[in-house]
Amino acid sequence: MRLFAPRLADGARLDLEGVVLRLKVNPQARRISLRIDARTGEAVATAPSARRLHDAVAFAGTRRAWLAERLVARAAAPAPVAGAAIELFGTPYVLVPDGRRPRLSAAQISGCGQGTVDPQLVVRAIRREALSVFSARTEMHCRRLGVTPPAVSTTDTRSRWGSCTPAAGRRRAWIRLSWRLALAPFEVADYVVAHECAHLIEANHGPRFWTLVGSLVGDPSPHRAYLRREGPRLHGFGR
């Protein structure tokens, strides 16, 4: 039984054998694509035109199992409740809601609520730690590359883990990194930092770019695979 009428139009939703699929038209898209919306948790099939929506649905049908796996992974995101442990850069921290000023100690995220955990306070503590680690790693990678360290900030983007804006005139270069990388192992997060630092020299993904990344963190393939596999879970945390 379908949950939604199968009208193939931008924004329509279909029941794909238990997987809710939202259709999207993006004239700038070069091809049909599938993803999990980090904000809503829906499966989204994007087509470059309304005429290609039938193709998008057909393609989603062939990848239904993959979509279901991604949705299950997202649902498995750890719940921020008292006594739960959250791993930051691979180190577990227990949530202790004993006040309103979030802080990290050796093995705890304390002050993240009064009796019950306030997810916003947890995120605040994680973002603070993430920025500290990202800034230190950016400085180290830039020193190895021989470039001036850029400004660093954290974001919560849904489509990318990081971005790099090169310097222009008097404007300083700027790297933005998803704070959710703090929920991944240190090596994975460090790869993304190195990836964006390499863009300060090579604003593309050509062979020279990947050589630079490899000189900083070695083979990036395992880290990229981790983000593809675990990305939905990281994006699902605290939502």
Side-chain angles (χ1 to χ4, degrees), residues 18 29 45 53 68 73 75 102 118-119 123 140 165 172 177 202 219 226:
L53 287 176
D118 183 335
V123 170
M140 192 207 75
T165 302
R172 184 182 179 187
L177 297 155
E202 291 290 325
D219 181 10
Y226 177 94

Side-chain angles (χ1 to χ4, degrees), residues 145-194:
L145 292 171
V147 297
T148 301
V152 179
S153 63
T154 60
T155 66
D156 194 11
T157 56
R158 291 175 259 165
S159 59
R160 59 176 62 184
W161 295 107
S163 63
C164 174
T165 302
R170 295 184 178 180
R171 187 188 67 195
R172 184 182 179 187
W174 196 344
I175 284 178
R176 298 170 178 82
L177 297 155
S178 171
W179 66 265
R180 294 176 182 276
L181 288 167
L183 303 172
F186 173 82
E187 294 79 8
V188 174
D190 192 42
Y191 151 67
V192 179
V193 177

Side-chain angles (χ1 to χ4, degrees), residues 3-24 32-37 40-46 53-64 66-67 71:
L3 296 177
F4 304 95
R7 179 169 174 251
L8 299 190
D10 187 23
R13 288 174 170 78
L14 305 177
D15 180 0
L16 196 67
E17 298 181 23
V19 172
V20 177
L21 179 71
R22 175 160 55 90
L23 305 181
K24 180 178 177 60
I32 290 170
S33 63
L34 294 175
R35 65 181 176 86
I36 303 299
D37 188 307
T40 66
E42 293 179 307
V44 181
T46 300
L53 287 176
H54 285 280
D55 296 332
V57 172
F59 178 59
T62 67
R63 302 299 303 277
R64 184 211 164 275
W66 179 84
L67 291 170
L71 292 170

Side-chain angles (χ1 to χ4, degrees), residues 96-114:
V96 182
D98 60 357
R100 303 295 299 179
R101 299 182 64 182
R103 59 196 182 279
L104 265 70
S105 61
Q108 296 180 345
I109 300 180
S110 306
C112 52
Q114 290 280 16

